[in-house]
Amino acid sequence: MHALNKFFSTLYIGYNHLGFYTFLIFFFCIYFTLPSKHHLKLIWNVAGNVFFYLQSGIAALLVIVAVSLVVYAASRMIGRIYARFDLEKKKYSPKEQILLLKTYKKKSIVILIVSVLLILLALIFVKVCRLLGCKAVISFREFRLWESIIVPLGISYYSLSAIGYLLDIYWRKVKPERNFLYLAAAMMYFPIIVQGPISKYPNLMEQFKNLPRFDYKRATYGIQLILWGLFQKLVISDRLLIFSNSILNEVSNYSGIEVLVALIFSLIQIYTDFSGCMDIVQGVANIMGVQLKKNFNQPFFAKNGADYWRKWRISLGDWFRDYIYLPIYMNPFFMKITNKIKRKYGKGIGQLFVTVTISAIIWLLSGVWHGTGWNYVVWGLYWYGIIVLEEATTQVWGNIRMSLHIDEKKAYYTVWKSIKMFFSAVV
């Protein structure tokens, strides 16, 4: 076991390394020789995921397998509870069925809470240990509690996707997958495991069940995406990183304008690095015939903070919307308070109350999700402040524009808003 760990620890197959593309060629050579819609194709997909994942060590692989088993078991148990409800509800009237469903939901919510807590505990443990400066190791033999840590590859991404999957089953939006291999294929899908996008497992699993044959046009488009992603990472991002780091690491030796240029280039470097990775991921998935969610949509042309985050890391924003924002917003108790505020102080104040309360939770979680340390909490609070301030001053700026006869539809105003938003992101 130790020898295997040592071997895989030296085999780094990141998106901009030759090893990754050697792995891809070998994977696809076998993949496209297998018949479509065949269990062998699914098994080979899982095998490729496992091999790719082993770069972070066998111990990390065992962690994600354990999480997959928790998700699978919990989803099946919740599914069985609702199946019993579907059988029993036929005996009752519609009103009685609503009461009966509440009873079954109480049974399923216990399983949901326990499974979600187990997933979160693994994620929180990794975050806390990183904050404490624990040494990263790749085997259980090297692991020492609060001294070292095993960091499973992509834990921040698959944890959110897994929680979303369980919540969708609890809300009866989807049915649990019966075949564990399909769930494992979705959770460890190698193109998305490192940097996302955060995907919905039912969508992935449905595509894995209907994988198409090799298609020349689809493959060439996928290769073009991969090449464009590599260009962004290697030619733009890596070059800008050298320049910006040389200045930002020794700010006192440079003038203000040089520091500002370095900050601007730093933001562009982060974007091209993430965007490049997403293009590579999209390209690989496209060759396989799998459609993934778009994760970036020209964020530097955003008009305000909220619009910026609708265009940057789209899958993360959608996750927070679906599993944090909407559940709180649609909660009867929260809606009751909001409606009281709207009746008493007006719709504008009511909407501001929604933004202030729910956004505080979302941006605190977003900061912690992005990394460990107080700087990430401050980063989250910074964006929270921008979005709340924009919401609070919407009417004020509207009145100023009217008094100055500024036309929002004119190109100069659109450009101004984009420039303002860009420098807000730079800071």
Side-chain angles (χ1 to χ4, degrees):
M1 181 72 77
H2 180 66
L4 283 173
N5 273 322
K6 191 173 181 180
F7 168 74
F8 282 110
S9 68
T10 60
L11 181 65
Y12 185 79
I13 47 178
Y15 295 146
N16 58 338
H17 287 72
L18 182 62
F20 175 65
Y21 298 97
T22 305
F23 159 75
L24 270 188
I25 292 169
F26 174 71
F27 175 81
F28 282 131
C29 283
I30 304 297
Y31 181 81
F32 285 115
T33 61
L34 299 173
S36 296
K37 301 181 183 179
H38 196 278
H39 65 277
L40 286 176
K41 207 158 198 173
L42 171 64
I43 292 170
W44 182 245
N45 191 356
V46 174
N49 294 344
V50 169
F51 182 82
F52 182 88
Y53 201 88
L54 279 171
Q55 68 174 286
S56 61
I58 294 173
L61 175 65
L62 293 177
V63 173
I64 193 174
V65 170
V67 173
S68 302
L69 290 170
V70 168
V71 173
Y72 178 74
S75 64
R76 291 301 306 276
M77 285 190 283
I78 294 172
R80 288 193 190 101
I81 290 171
Y82 285 138
R84 290 199 296 269
F85 163 75
D86 289 333
L87 287 173
E88 193 176 346
K89 71 178 183 180
K90 299 173 184 178
K91 306 173 186 177
Y92 299 93
S93 66
K95 287 185 178 180
E96 291 172 328
Q97 287 179 14
I98 294 172
L99 294 174
L100 184 64
L101 179 60
K102 288 181 179 179
T103 303
Y104 278 93
K105 276 197 166 185
K106 285 180 181 178
K107 296 177 183 178
S108 61
I109 199 171
V110 175
I111 299 168
L112 175 72
I113 291 171
V114 171
S115 56
V116 169
L117 283 176
L118 287 173
I119 296 168
L120 285 176
L121 282 173
L123 178 60
I124 291 168
F125 181 76
V126 169
K127 293 285 186 180
V128 170
C129 285
R130 279 179 168 177
L131 185 61
L132 295 175
C134 295
K135 177 187 175 184
V137 297
I138 62 169
S139 69
F140 289 118
R141 192 173 75 170
E142 300 170 291
F143 176 74
R144 298 290 183 275
L145 188 63
W146 305 122
E147 294 179 9
S148 58
I149 181 177
I150 295 165
V151 184
L153 193 66
I155 186 171
S156 294
Y157 295 97
Y158 72 70
S159 293
L160 293 191
S161 291
I163 291 170
Y165 174 63
L166 290 173
L167 285 169
D168 283 341
I169 292 171
Y170 171 73
W171 291 328
R172 308 197 74 193
K173 291 182 177 180
V174 298
K175 290 185 177 181
E177 175 55 49
R178 293 175 175 270
N179 188 331
F180 175 71
L181 283 181
Y182 280 116
L183 180 62
M187 288 194 68
M188 291 190 286
Y189 189 42
F190 73 86
I192 68 173
I193 197 68
V194 177
Q195 290 196 0
I198 299 167
S199 302
K200 294 206 171 191
Y201 292 152
N203 179 45
L204 280 179
M205 290 186 286
E206 188 60 33
Q207 293 189 74
F208 292 154
K209 293 174 184 178
N210 298 280
L211 288 169
R213 294 180 180 275
F214 176 81
D215 182 83
Y216 176 77
K217 288 184 178 179
R218 192 179 63 242
T220 52
Y221 177 66
I223 292 170
Q224 288 172 9
L225 279 176
I226 291 171
L227 292 175
W228 173 239
L230 281 171
F231 177 82
Q232 288 185 82
K233 281 184 65 65
L234 298 178
V235 179
I236 303 176
S237 179
D238 288 357
R239 304 285 78 76
L240 290 179
L241 181 65
I242 296 169
F243 174 82
S244 59
N245 277 358
S246 64
I247 294 177
L248 296 178
N249 289 338
E250 298 181 15
V251 176
S252 58
N253 296 333
Y254 297 91
S255 65
I257 188 65
E258 290 172 320
V259 173
L260 178 61
V261 171
L263 285 171
I264 293 171
F265 282 179
S266 178
L267 178 61
I268 297 172
Q269 180 270 318
I270 292 170
Y271 170 73
T272 50
D273 184 71
F274 282 147
S275 180
C277 278
M278 289 303 100
D279 285 335
I280 294 170
V281 166
Q282 293 278 0
V284 173
N286 204 271
I287 294 172
M288 292 180 69
V290 176
Q291 297 297 315
L292 298 176
K293 189 176 185 67
K294 191 174 183 180
N295 216 18
F296 292 90
N297 185 24
Q298 300 180 328
F300 296 148
F301 293 96
K303 298 172 178 61
N304 53 49
D307 188 39
Y308 178 82
W309 284 101
R310 281 193 291 268
K311 296 173 180 289
W312 181 290
R313 288 206 176 223
I314 296 169
S315 63
L316 179 63
D318 288 350
W319 192 93
F320 279 121
R321 180 199 63 205
D322 294 342
Y323 303 110
I324 302 294
Y325 183 89
L326 289 178
I328 295 174
Y329 183 74
M330 299 301 292
N331 180 272
F333 178 73
F334 187 84
M335 288 181 71
K336 186 178 179 180
I337 296 174
T338 304
N339 289 333
K340 280 185 178 179
I341 293 173
K342 286 180 178 179
R343 285 194 299 268
K344 190 171 183 179
Y345 301 104
K347 289 184 179 180
I349 299 298
Q351 185 56 46
L352 181 60
F353 167 75
V354 171
T355 302
V356 168
T357 52
I358 304 180
S359 292
I361 299 169
I362 288 174
W363 282 106
L364 177 61
L365 292 174
S366 183
V368 173
W369 182 86
H370 274 88
T372 54
W374 286 105
N375 55 321
Y376 287 98
V377 176
V378 172
W379 172 86
L381 291 174
Y382 169 76
W383 279 106
Y384 168 68
I386 286 178
I387 290 171
V388 169
L389 186 63
E390 287 175 348
E391 183 71 36
T393 58
T394 298
Q395 189 61 46
V396 174
W397 287 112
N399 293 335
I400 292 173
R401 285 195 301 272
M402 287 180 64
S403 63
L404 296 175
H405 304 290
I406 296 173
D407 188 351
E408 290 185 75
K409 297 179 181 180
K410 293 292 184 181
Y412 71 85
Y413 187 70
T414 301
V415 170
W416 156 247
K417 286 195 292 185
S418 296
I419 292 172
K420 181 186 67 173
M421 194 61 253
F422 180 85
F423 279 98
S424 296
V426 167
V427 175

